[in-house]
Amino acid sequence: DRRKPRMRHLMTKRRFGRYTGHRISMFRNLVTSLITHERIKTTVPKAKEIRKYAEKMITLGKTGTEHAKTQVRAFVKTEDAIKKVFTTLAPRYKERDGGYTRILLAGLRKGDCAPMCVMEYVDNSLAVQIRRSKPIGPSPSMIRANASKLGEKTLDKLD
């Protein structure tokens, strides 16, 4: 059943149009994928929301206690990702105090124009290979090259 919309006073989390269980499961899946692959492509609001959970997993991995392992096991879904937090990622960031993730904008999604990004762990072994989206419209050099076809008025607008 749909509840009546309420005002969002003192509410800080995004809801993404999902019920609580579905939203938490989505966050757990995204964080598990980020840990496993060290890079995921998602929408900007989702990346900003899961950033706190992804960084919390690294902080717990750096702690290394049994209680921290229990907390990571409660959130991350696969055993491979849990092992990776404690054996690979935590030692990699032992000298770094926070800021383990990076969000790189990657243009707009084709179907609904949602802003997309690539979220990754900093200092990873993957080289950054992001294609920038093309600017809208022809470039000024292209217009000048085709000036004879376009006419004099277009060149006046450029200068």
Side-chain angles (χ1 to χ4, degrees):
D1 78 284
R2 288 275 173 171
R3 294 184 186 161
K4 185 177 175 184
R6 297 177 298 178
M7 292 188 214
R8 292 185 43 85
H9 298 300
L10 299 174
M11 298 174 94
T12 57
K13 295 182 181 177
R14 295 175 179 93
R15 293 191 296 186
F16 296 107
R18 291 167 169 85
Y19 292 113
T20 305
H22 184 191
R23 185 173 55 249
I24 292 170
S25 180
M26 177 183 67
F27 292 159
R28 290 178 65 195
N29 286 328
L30 285 169
V31 170
T32 303
S33 294
L34 180 64
I35 291 168
T36 304
H37 303 291
E38 295 190 26
R39 174 186 288 168
I40 58 171
K41 186 170 185 178
T42 184
T43 61
V44 174
K46 286 178 189 173
K48 287 181 178 180
E49 194 66 29
I50 68 161
R51 175 173 42 194
K52 59 184 143 210
Y53 299 110
E55 297 202 0
K56 182 70 175 178
M57 295 302 117
I58 301 298
T59 305
L60 289 170
K62 285 168 60 173
T63 305
T65 62
E66 284 300 317
H67 182 60
K69 289 178 183 176
T70 304
Q71 287 181 308
V72 171
R73 202 172 288 119
F75 194 80
V76 177
K77 290 197 166 202
T78 64
E79 279 298 318
D80 295 337
I82 294 166
K83 288 177 188 173
K84 188 170 184 176
V85 167
F86 290 99
T87 59
T88 307
L89 297 175
R92 183 191 301 169
Y93 299 114
K94 67 180 175 187
E95 298 297 323
R96 182 183 277 266
D97 296 330
Y100 311 117
T101 57
R102 170 189 304 137
I103 296 175
L104 301 166
L105 299 180
L108 302 174
R109 187 161 53 196
K110 192 170 186 177
D112 59 354
C113 255
M116 297 297 288
C117 69
V118 173
M119 184 173 188
E120 64 182 7
Y121 283 116
V122 297
D123 301 333
N124 62 7
S125 59
L126 305 170
V128 178
Q129 298 171 355
I130 307 289
R131 263 187 40 204
R132 298 209 176 241
S133 60
K134 295 180 183 177
I136 298 172
S139 65
S141 61
M142 182 74 105
I143 293 173
R144 284 192 185 92
N146 296 324
S148 61
K149 297 177 187 173
L150 298 173
E152 300 275 333
K153 293 178 184 177
T154 309
L155 288 176
D156 295 337
K157 289 180 184 176
L158 284 175
D159 297 329

